[in-house]
Amino acid sequence: MTKRVYLQGLPVDIISYNDALESVKYAVDNGESMQIVTINPEMIECAKNNKDFANVIKHSELVVADGVGVKIALKLKGFSQERIGGVDFSRSLIEMCAKDNLRLALLGAKEEVISTLVDKLKAEFENLNIVYAHNGYFDNENLILNEIKNARPQIFLCALGSPKQEFFISRLKEMLQGCTMIGIGGSFDVFSGHVQRAPLIWQKLGLEWLYRVIKQPERFRRIFPALPIFLFESIIDSVKK
Ligand code: UDP
Protein backbone atom coordinates (compact mmCIF):
# COMPACT_ATOMS: atom_id res chain seq x y z
CA MET A 1 0.00 0.00 0.00
CA THR A 2 1.24 3.47 -0.85
CA LYS A 3 0.91 6.49 1.40
CA ARG A 4 1.84 9.88 -0.03
CA VAL A 5 3.52 12.25 2.43
CA TYR A 6 4.96 15.71 1.82
CA LEU A 7 8.49 16.98 2.46
CA GLN A 8 8.64 20.76 2.24
CA GLY A 9 5.59 20.75 -0.01
CA LEU A 10 6.77 17.96 -2.32
CA PRO A 11 5.34 14.46 -2.39
CA VAL A 12 7.16 11.25 -1.51
CA ASP A 13 5.42 7.88 -1.55
CA ILE A 14 5.90 5.48 1.34
CA ILE A 15 6.15 2.17 -0.45
CA SER A 16 8.33 -0.93 -0.30
CA TYR A 17 10.74 -1.73 -3.14
CA ASN A 18 8.67 -4.80 -4.08
CA ASP A 19 5.37 -2.92 -4.02
CA ALA A 20 6.88 -0.24 -6.25
CA LEU A 21 7.86 -2.96 -8.73
CA GLU A 22 4.38 -4.49 -8.46
CA SER A 23 2.82 -1.11 -9.24
CA VAL A 24 4.86 -0.99 -12.45
CA LYS A 25 3.67 -4.49 -13.37
CA TYR A 26 0.08 -3.44 -12.73
CA ALA A 27 0.46 -0.30 -14.89
CA VAL A 28 2.03 -2.29 -17.73
CA ASP A 29 -0.61 -5.03 -17.54
CA ASN A 30 -3.38 -2.45 -17.64
CA GLY A 31 -1.87 -0.29 -20.37
CA GLU A 32 -1.52 2.70 -18.06
CA SER A 33 1.21 5.33 -18.27
CA MET A 34 3.24 6.08 -15.21
CA GLN A 35 5.95 8.59 -14.37
CA ILE A 36 8.32 7.59 -11.59
CA VAL A 37 10.51 10.20 -9.90
CA THR A 38 13.43 9.08 -7.74
CA ILE A 39 13.60 12.11 -5.49
CA ASN A 40 16.61 13.43 -3.58
CA PRO A 41 17.34 16.58 -1.55
CA GLU A 42 18.90 18.45 -4.51
CA MET A 43 15.71 17.92 -6.50
CA ILE A 44 13.55 19.14 -3.62
CA GLU A 45 15.70 22.26 -3.21
CA CYS A 46 15.61 22.83 -6.99
CA ALA A 47 11.81 22.42 -7.12
CA LYS A 48 11.35 25.07 -4.43
CA ASN A 49 12.63 27.67 -6.91
CA ASN A 50 11.14 26.09 -10.02
CA LYS A 51 7.36 25.90 -9.99
CA ASP A 52 7.17 23.95 -13.25
CA PHE A 53 9.49 21.29 -11.87
CA ALA A 54 7.48 21.12 -8.63
CA ASN A 55 4.31 20.60 -10.72
CA VAL A 56 5.91 17.77 -12.71
CA ILE A 57 6.87 16.02 -9.46
CA LYS A 58 3.39 16.57 -7.98
CA HIS A 59 1.75 15.06 -11.06
CA SER A 60 3.98 11.98 -11.10
CA GLU A 61 2.23 8.70 -10.37
CA LEU A 62 5.05 7.48 -8.12
CA VAL A 63 7.70 9.45 -6.23
CA VAL A 64 10.21 7.23 -4.48
CA ALA A 65 12.87 8.11 -1.92
CA ASP A 66 16.33 8.09 -3.42
CA GLY A 67 19.16 9.13 -1.15
CA VAL A 68 19.77 9.03 2.53
CA GLY A 69 18.72 12.68 3.02
CA VAL A 70 15.12 11.91 2.03
CA LYS A 71 15.15 8.82 4.25
CA ILE A 72 16.25 10.91 7.25
CA ALA A 73 13.60 13.58 6.53
CA LEU A 74 10.91 10.87 6.37
CA LYS A 75 12.19 9.33 9.61
CA LEU A 76 11.83 12.72 11.30
CA LYS A 77 8.18 12.59 10.26
CA GLY A 78 7.82 9.09 11.71
CA PHE A 79 8.02 7.10 8.47
CA SER A 80 10.45 4.28 7.87
CA GLN A 81 11.21 4.07 4.16
CA GLU A 82 13.76 1.93 2.39
CA ARG A 83 15.82 3.65 -0.25
CA ILE A 84 14.65 3.05 -3.82
CA GLY A 85 17.54 4.30 -5.91
CA GLY A 86 17.55 4.81 -9.67
CA VAL A 87 20.42 2.37 -10.34
CA ASP A 88 18.84 -0.52 -8.43
CA PHE A 89 15.28 0.10 -9.50
CA SER A 90 16.03 0.52 -13.19
CA ARG A 91 18.10 -2.67 -13.07
CA SER A 92 15.01 -4.45 -11.68
CA LEU A 93 12.94 -2.93 -14.50
CA ILE A 94 15.40 -4.22 -17.11
CA GLU A 95 15.13 -7.70 -15.56
CA MET A 96 11.34 -7.39 -15.69
CA CYS A 97 11.53 -6.49 -19.40
CA ALA A 98 13.69 -9.55 -20.11
CA LYS A 99 11.44 -11.87 -18.10
CA ASP A 100 8.08 -10.59 -19.34
CA ASN A 101 9.21 -9.71 -22.86
CA LEU A 102 8.41 -6.00 -22.50
CA ARG A 103 9.52 -3.35 -24.98
CA LEU A 104 12.34 -1.25 -23.49
CA ALA A 105 13.57 2.20 -24.53
CA LEU A 106 16.73 3.90 -23.28
CA LEU A 107 17.65 7.57 -23.57
CA GLY A 108 20.61 9.41 -22.09
CA ALA A 109 24.34 9.61 -21.41
CA LYS A 110 27.18 10.01 -23.91
CA GLU A 111 27.18 8.01 -27.15
CA GLU A 112 30.02 5.69 -26.04
CA VAL A 113 28.17 5.01 -22.78
CA ILE A 114 24.81 4.13 -24.33
CA SER A 115 26.33 1.99 -27.07
CA THR A 116 28.46 0.02 -24.56
CA LEU A 117 25.37 -0.36 -22.41
CA VAL A 118 23.22 -1.71 -25.24
CA ASP A 119 25.93 -4.28 -26.12
CA LYS A 120 26.29 -5.30 -22.47
CA LEU A 121 22.55 -5.71 -21.99
CA LYS A 122 22.15 -7.73 -25.19
CA ALA A 123 24.99 -10.03 -24.06
CA GLU A 124 23.50 -10.44 -20.60
CA PHE A 125 19.81 -10.81 -21.51
CA GLU A 126 19.34 -12.82 -24.64
CA ASN A 127 15.66 -11.99 -24.96
CA LEU A 128 15.77 -8.30 -24.10
CA ASN A 129 13.65 -6.33 -26.54
CA ILE A 130 15.32 -2.91 -26.81
CA VAL A 131 13.08 -0.98 -29.18
CA TYR A 132 14.93 2.33 -28.85
CA ALA A 133 18.29 3.60 -27.61
CA HIS A 134 19.76 7.08 -28.08
CA ASN A 135 22.39 9.20 -26.37
CA GLY A 136 21.30 12.16 -24.25
CA TYR A 137 22.90 14.91 -26.31
CA PHE A 138 20.47 16.10 -28.97
CA ASP A 139 19.11 19.41 -30.23
CA ASN A 140 15.74 18.41 -31.62
CA GLU A 141 13.70 17.27 -28.63
CA ASN A 142 10.50 16.89 -30.66
CA LEU A 143 12.22 14.49 -33.03
CA ILE A 144 13.40 12.30 -30.14
CA LEU A 145 9.96 12.42 -28.49
CA ASN A 146 8.33 11.26 -31.71
CA GLU A 147 10.88 8.52 -32.30
CA ILE A 148 10.23 7.12 -28.81
CA LYS A 149 6.48 7.43 -29.28
CA ASN A 150 6.70 5.44 -32.53
CA ALA A 151 8.86 2.75 -30.88
CA ARG A 152 5.98 2.17 -28.40
CA PRO A 153 8.06 1.16 -25.36
CA GLN A 154 6.39 -0.23 -22.26
CA ILE A 155 9.34 0.73 -20.04
CA PHE A 156 11.36 3.89 -20.67
CA LEU A 157 14.58 4.63 -18.79
CA CYS A 158 15.55 8.28 -19.10
CA ALA A 159 19.05 9.23 -17.95
CA LEU A 160 19.40 12.92 -18.82
CA GLY A 161 20.03 14.21 -15.28
CA SER A 162 17.53 16.16 -13.24
CA PRO A 163 15.35 18.18 -13.87
CA LYS A 164 15.82 17.67 -17.64
CA GLN A 165 14.74 14.02 -17.51
CA GLU A 166 11.59 14.75 -15.47
CA PHE A 167 10.49 17.48 -17.92
CA PHE A 168 11.21 15.22 -20.88
CA ILE A 169 9.16 12.38 -19.38
CA SER A 170 6.24 14.66 -18.56
CA ARG A 171 6.10 15.71 -22.22
CA LEU A 172 6.37 12.12 -23.43
CA LYS A 173 3.62 11.03 -21.02
CA GLU A 174 1.20 13.28 -22.91
CA MET A 175 2.01 11.48 -26.16
CA LEU A 176 2.41 7.87 -25.10
CA GLN A 177 -0.01 5.37 -23.55
CA GLY A 178 0.91 2.30 -21.55
CA CYS A 179 4.49 3.18 -20.69
CA THR A 180 6.25 3.36 -17.32
CA MET A 181 8.89 6.10 -17.45
CA ILE A 182 11.56 6.77 -14.90
CA GLY A 183 14.32 9.36 -14.57
CA ILE A 184 17.55 7.71 -13.41
CA GLY A 185 20.31 10.34 -13.62
CA GLY A 186 23.76 8.87 -14.11
CA SER A 187 22.70 5.21 -13.93
CA PHE A 188 23.78 4.40 -17.51
CA ASP A 189 27.32 5.53 -16.63
CA VAL A 190 27.26 2.97 -13.81
CA PHE A 191 25.63 0.14 -15.83
CA SER A 192 28.07 0.54 -18.69
CA GLY A 193 31.06 0.47 -16.32
CA HIS A 194 32.14 4.05 -17.13
CA VAL A 195 31.54 5.11 -13.52
CA GLN A 196 32.19 2.89 -10.55
CA ARG A 197 29.49 2.51 -7.92
CA ALA A 198 30.40 2.96 -4.24
CA PRO A 199 31.43 -0.27 -2.49
CA LEU A 200 28.55 -2.03 -0.72
CA ILE A 201 29.67 -0.97 2.73
CA TRP A 202 29.44 2.74 1.74
CA GLN A 203 25.97 2.07 0.28
CA LYS A 204 24.83 0.29 3.45
CA LEU A 205 26.08 3.15 5.62
CA GLY A 206 24.12 5.63 3.46
CA LEU A 207 27.36 7.25 2.30
CA GLU A 208 27.13 6.62 -1.45
CA TRP A 209 26.73 10.38 -2.00
CA LEU A 210 30.03 11.04 -0.16
CA TYR A 211 31.83 8.42 -2.26
CA ARG A 212 30.55 10.09 -5.43
CA VAL A 213 31.68 13.53 -4.22
CA ILE A 214 35.17 12.14 -3.50
CA LYS A 215 35.34 10.50 -6.94
CA GLN A 216 33.80 13.45 -8.80
CA PRO A 217 34.63 16.59 -6.75
CA GLU A 218 32.60 18.75 -9.18
CA ARG A 219 29.52 17.22 -7.51
CA PHE A 220 30.34 19.14 -4.33
CA ARG A 221 28.63 22.27 -5.62
CA ARG A 222 25.43 20.30 -6.33
CA ILE A 223 25.17 18.66 -2.94
CA PHE A 224 26.29 21.68 -0.92
CA PRO A 225 24.48 23.69 0.23
CA ALA A 226 21.33 21.79 -0.94
CA LEU A 227 21.79 18.80 1.38
CA PRO A 228 22.49 20.68 4.66
CA ILE A 229 19.74 23.23 3.90
CA PHE A 230 17.30 20.42 3.19
CA LEU A 231 18.18 18.56 6.40
CA PHE A 232 18.05 21.76 8.48
CA GLU A 233 14.60 22.62 7.12
CA SER A 234 13.41 19.05 7.66
CA ILE A 235 14.43 19.28 11.33
CA ILE A 236 12.64 22.64 11.71
CA ASP A 237 9.53 21.11 10.06
CA SER A 238 9.54 18.16 12.45
CA VAL A 239 9.99 20.42 15.53
CA LYS A 240 7.04 22.60 14.42
CA LYS A 241 4.68 19.59 14.39
N1 UDP B 1 23.21 13.83 -19.60
C1 UDP B 1 22.63 13.66 -20.83
N2 UDP B 1 22.26 14.77 -21.53
C2 UDP B 1 22.45 16.03 -21.05
C3 UDP B 1 23.02 16.18 -19.77
C4 UDP B 1 23.40 15.05 -19.06
O1 UDP B 1 22.43 12.55 -21.28
O2 UDP B 1 22.10 16.98 -21.74
C5 UDP B 1 23.59 12.62 -18.86
C6 UDP B 1 25.04 12.57 -18.41
O3 UDP B 1 25.85 12.11 -19.48
C7 UDP B 1 24.95 11.61 -17.25
C8 UDP B 1 23.55 11.87 -16.69
O4 UDP B 1 22.86 12.59 -17.68
O5 UDP B 1 25.02 10.29 -17.73
C9 UDP B 1 23.54 12.72 -15.42
O6 UDP B 1 24.29 12.13 -14.52
P1 UDP B 1 24.47 12.70 -13.05
O7 UDP B 1 25.52 11.85 -12.44
O8 UDP B 1 24.68 14.17 -13.09
O9 UDP B 1 23.04 12.42 -12.43
P2 UDP B 1 22.63 11.93 -10.98
O10 UDP B 1 22.85 10.47 -10.95
O11 UDP B 1 23.46 12.68 -9.99
O12 UDP B 1 21.18 12.32 -10.95
Side-chain angles (χ1 to χ4, degrees), residues 38 40 42-43 66 87 107-111 113 134-138 158-162 164-166 183-190 195 212 216 219 222-223:
T38 59
N40 63 31
E42 297 105 271
M43 289 161 77
D66 188 3
V87 174
L107 178 70
K110 295 191 180 123
E111 179 54 36
V113 171
H134 198 286
N135 68 59
Y137 297 87
F138 48 84
C158 188
L160 299 174
S162 192
K164 199 171 180 181
Q165 61 199 14
E166 282 76 25
I184 55 169
S187 300
F188 290 172
D189 299 318
V190 175
V195 167
R212 295 177 81 183
Q216 295 166 273
R219 280 183 172 276
R222 272 177 36 186
I223 295 197

Side-chain angles (χ1 to χ4, degrees), residues 1-238:
M1 280 303 284
T2 315
K3 181 178 167 56
R4 183 158 277 205
V5 299
Y6 286 82
L7 294 180
Q8 298 171 39
L10 290 155
V12 186
D13 293 315
I14 305 298
I15 188 168
S16 72
Y17 191 97
N18 285 338
D19 283 353
L21 267 184
E22 281 305 316
S23 71
V24 174
K25 271 195 189 134
Y26 180 89
V28 170
D29 287 348
N30 290 281
E32 291 170 9
S33 279
M34 180 178 189
Q35 176 164 12
I36 306 177
V37 173
T38 59
I39 203 160
N40 63 31
E42 297 105 271
M43 289 161 77
I44 293 177
E45 290 305 311
C46 169
K48 279 196 216 157
N49 304 313
N50 184 336
K51 238 178 157 187
D52 292 338
F53 184 37
N55 275 331
V56 167
I57 297 172
K58 286 177 189 165
H59 286 101
S60 292
E61 283 69 22
L62 189 61
V63 184
V64 293
D66 188 3
V68 70
V70 174
K71 262 184 81 167
I72 293 170
L74 289 171
K75 195 84 187 166
L76 289 168
K77 283 192 170 262
F79 296 100
S80 215
Q81 170 63 46
E82 63 187 305
R83 182 179 168 211
I84 304 182
V87 174
D88 295 319
F89 200 70
S90 51
R91 171 86 200 170
S92 298
L93 293 178
I94 292 169
E95 285 167 6
M96 187 192 289
C97 286
K99 188 168 152 280
D100 298 343
N101 194 27
L102 304 177
R103 297 182 296 276
L104 173 68
L106 311 167
L107 178 70
K110 295 191 180 123
E111 179 54 36
E112 68 263 30
V113 171
I114 187 88
S115 52
T116 311
L117 176 61
V118 169
D119 291 345
K120 271 196 163 188
L121 289 176
K122 279 184 179 160
E124 188 179 350
F125 302 97
E126 217 181 297
N127 295 324
L128 193 61
N129 186 7
I130 301 175
V131 292
Y132 187 83
H134 198 286
N135 68 59
Y137 297 87
F138 48 84
D139 294 326
N140 191 340
E141 184 171 293
N142 284 332
L143 177 77
I144 301 290
L145 282 164
N146 276 305
E147 282 179 358
I148 299 173
K149 180 187 169 200
N150 294 336
R152 295 194 309 115
Q154 291 160 294
I155 302 286
F156 172 49
L157 307 182
C158 188
L160 299 174
S162 192
K164 199 171 180 181
Q165 61 199 14
E166 282 76 25
F167 282 119
F168 186 92
I169 289 174
S170 77
R171 287 195 66 198
L172 185 64
K173 194 164 72 171
E174 286 171 15
M175 304 164 62
L176 187 60
Q177 282 296 307
C179 184
T180 292
M181 313 169 210
I182 182 170
I184 55 169
S187 300
F188 290 172
D189 299 318
V190 175
F191 290 151
S192 63
H194 281 76
V195 167
Q196 203 100 89
R197 209 174 169 191
L200 212 58
I201 182 76
W202 290 67
Q203 293 178 39
K204 287 211 168 121
L205 291 171
L207 291 175
E208 194 165 14
W209 61 274
L210 182 59
Y211 183 87
R212 295 177 81 183
V213 169
I214 294 168
K215 289 278 171 188
Q216 295 166 273
E218 65 275 12
R219 280 183 172 276
F220 187 83
R221 260 190 301 140
R222 272 177 36 186
I223 295 197
F224 296 92
L227 183 60
I229 290 175
F230 172 77
L231 289 175
F232 179 72
E233 286 173 352
S234 299
I235 292 166
I236 301 286
D237 264 6
S238 70

